[in-house]
Amino acid sequence: VAIAVLAGLIPNAVSAQLSSRDGLLEAVPTAQARVALIEYASCLVARRPQPVRQLLTMDSRSTDYFSKMNKLIDDLESCRLPGRLKMSNVLLLGGLAEAAYKHDFAGRRALDPVLLAENVSPNLPLDSNEAALACVVRKKPQAVHDLLGTRIESAQELDAIKPLAEELSSCMVPGTTSRLNKSYFRSVLALALFRSAALTASQAGAR
């Protein structure tokens, strides 16, 4: 399993243009674009907390999801930043998940790993890469939690990614390989961890 950790090609950013294509290898975001995207996602989370959290529980391939996501983007002119960013769906969704996770679980250590493992991506369709990364969250929820605490494009981020990339190899179908850039890698891990943590927390609150 190889993970590309290259800097990227998306020009500096941001009024949002959402694409349904994930573009794992077509374009890798620059450091500036990655920072701009998380700032944009944090603004959406702060200004529309409930619609964002609803989106994070939806099938991101559905027509209803894209309709709601584009409406959210169009309605929030105050979150638009100078310039333009063409973002893939998975990177925006991962940015929203990371921002929501930090807001909802800031300062906590990861929740009970046994419960987290049971609650990773329940009842949602996953492609092979997403399924493998969900497996990583099941096995290493604290390490994923720690990754989301690192600054984007920092040495700490790379250090946090390395053991997770090693774990990914054990989660792949034997005989297959996957080449993922670090933006996609972090985004899908963030989404799986947020979904699992939110479900785990709601179950704990119901007891």
Side-chain angles (χ1 to χ4, degrees):
V1 176
I3 295 178
V5 289
L6 305 174
L9 305 171
I10 293 179
N12 102 25
V14 165
S15 88
Q17 179 181 344
L18 183 63
S19 168
S20 61
R21 297 188 51 147
D22 292 340
L24 302 190
L25 300 180
E26 291 112 349
V28 184
T30 63
Q32 186 178 11
R34 291 185 71 202
V35 171
L37 176 55
I38 197 66
E39 290 175 351
Y40 179 74
S42 297
C43 178
L44 293 176
V45 168
R47 294 179 182 273
R48 292 290 188 273
Q50 294 311 311
V52 165
R53 283 163 180 77
Q54 181 186 17
L55 283 166
L56 291 172
T57 66
M58 295 177 68
D59 175 4
S60 61
R61 296 167 183 79
S62 70
T63 301
D64 189 35
Y65 164 84
F66 276 102
S67 175
K68 285 183 167 60
M69 177 65 87
N70 282 310
K71 184 176 187 303
L72 176 70
I73 291 170
D74 291 342
D75 285 350
L76 282 175
E77 292 292 335
S78 59
C79 284
R80 295 187 186 276
L81 302 177
R84 188 170 186 82
L85 174 64
K86 182 176 180 181
M87 66 188 78
S88 75
N89 176 46
V90 72
L91 296 189
L92 176 57
L93 197 58
L96 292 173
E98 180 168 341
Y101 182 84
K102 289 175 178 177
H103 181 276
D104 294 353
F105 303 102
R108 302 186 191 182
R109 291 187 65 75
L111 296 163
D112 185 318
V114 174
L115 293 177
L116 282 171
E118 294 173 353
N119 290 329
V120 172
S121 301
N123 305 319
L124 288 171
L126 302 174
D127 66 24
S128 59
N129 286 322
E130 291 166 344
L133 289 166
C135 166
V136 172
V137 175
R138 286 189 196 97
K139 292 185 174 185
K140 300 286 186 182
Q142 183 61 53
V144 177
H145 173 94
D146 293 343
L147 168 63
L148 300 188
T150 64
R151 186 167 49 84
I152 288 172
E153 295 294 332
S154 66
Q156 290 76 20
E157 181 188 46
L158 285 178
D159 288 343
I161 283 174
K162 287 174 185 175
L164 294 169
E166 292 170 2
E167 191 66 54
L168 178 60
S169 63
S170 70
C171 289
M172 298 294 295
V173 174
T176 64
T177 61
S178 184
R179 185 169 178 243
L180 312 176
N181 66 63
K182 62 186 173 183
S183 301
Y184 177 90
F185 188 78
R186 180 167 176 150
S187 291
V188 177
L189 290 176
L191 181 58
L193 185 62
F194 173 80
R195 285 172 168 167
S196 180
L199 183 54
T200 301
S202 70
Q203 290 174 344
R207 289 178 183 145

